[in-house]
Amino acid sequence: MTASAPDPDTAPDPDADRDAPDTDRDPGAVPPVELSARARAVLALERRPWAGPGAKERAIREELGISPVRYFQLLNALIEDERALREDPVTVNRLRRLKEERRGRR
């Protein structure tokens, strides 16, 4: 008895659902949307160490072209975004801890 090779027309394609969402767990799953370039830039800026508060505000204006107030509005929204957590878990978790500490002091 000789073993025959699987029929290529009926064999499952191992790469068929590599990029597809995992619908076994969540039937309504959609592929995650990536963060915008500006959101990534905000996280990158927040990751950097700063010599003083003036240096950070200057970098926000020069590198991102937005006011520090707008920067912190974007940052506060980002730390609640699961995409940001996937992108930069260390920074987002640090910011979440700081936010909780501040909330606890009030």
Side-chain angles (χ1 to χ4, degrees):
M1 203 191 274
T2 60
S4 62
D7 182 7
D9 293 330
T10 60
D13 181 3
D15 296 327
D17 58 327
R18 179 178 44 192
D19 296 325
D22 186 3
T23 55
D24 291 339
R25 280 186 252 154
D26 183 5
V30 294
V33 177
E34 292 188 17
L35 287 176
S36 67
R38 179 157 74 170
R40 282 194 180 99
V42 167
L43 287 173
L45 197 92
E46 192 60 30
R47 221 176 5 248
R48 292 172 22 194
W50 300 100
K56 183 174 184 177
E57 277 74 11
R58 192 168 31 261
I60 291 168
R61 290 182 192 282
E62 291 173 1
E63 294 176 27
L64 300 178
I66 59 177
S67 72
V69 170
R70 182 67 182 139
Y71 170 83
F72 286 108
Q73 289 171 338
L74 293 170
L75 184 62
N76 280 320
L78 268 176
I79 64 175
E80 301 302 325
D81 191 330
E82 292 303 312
R83 296 172 301 174
L85 183 62
R86 285 191 302 270
E87 179 80 24
D88 191 349
V90 173
T91 301
V92 172
N93 283 326
R94 177 179 56 85
L95 293 169
R96 285 179 176 181
R97 276 192 310 274
L98 290 171
K99 185 176 180 177
E100 284 301 313
E101 287 173 13
R102 284 188 210 109
R103 186 177 291 153
R105 284 187 248 148
R106 291 182 187 170

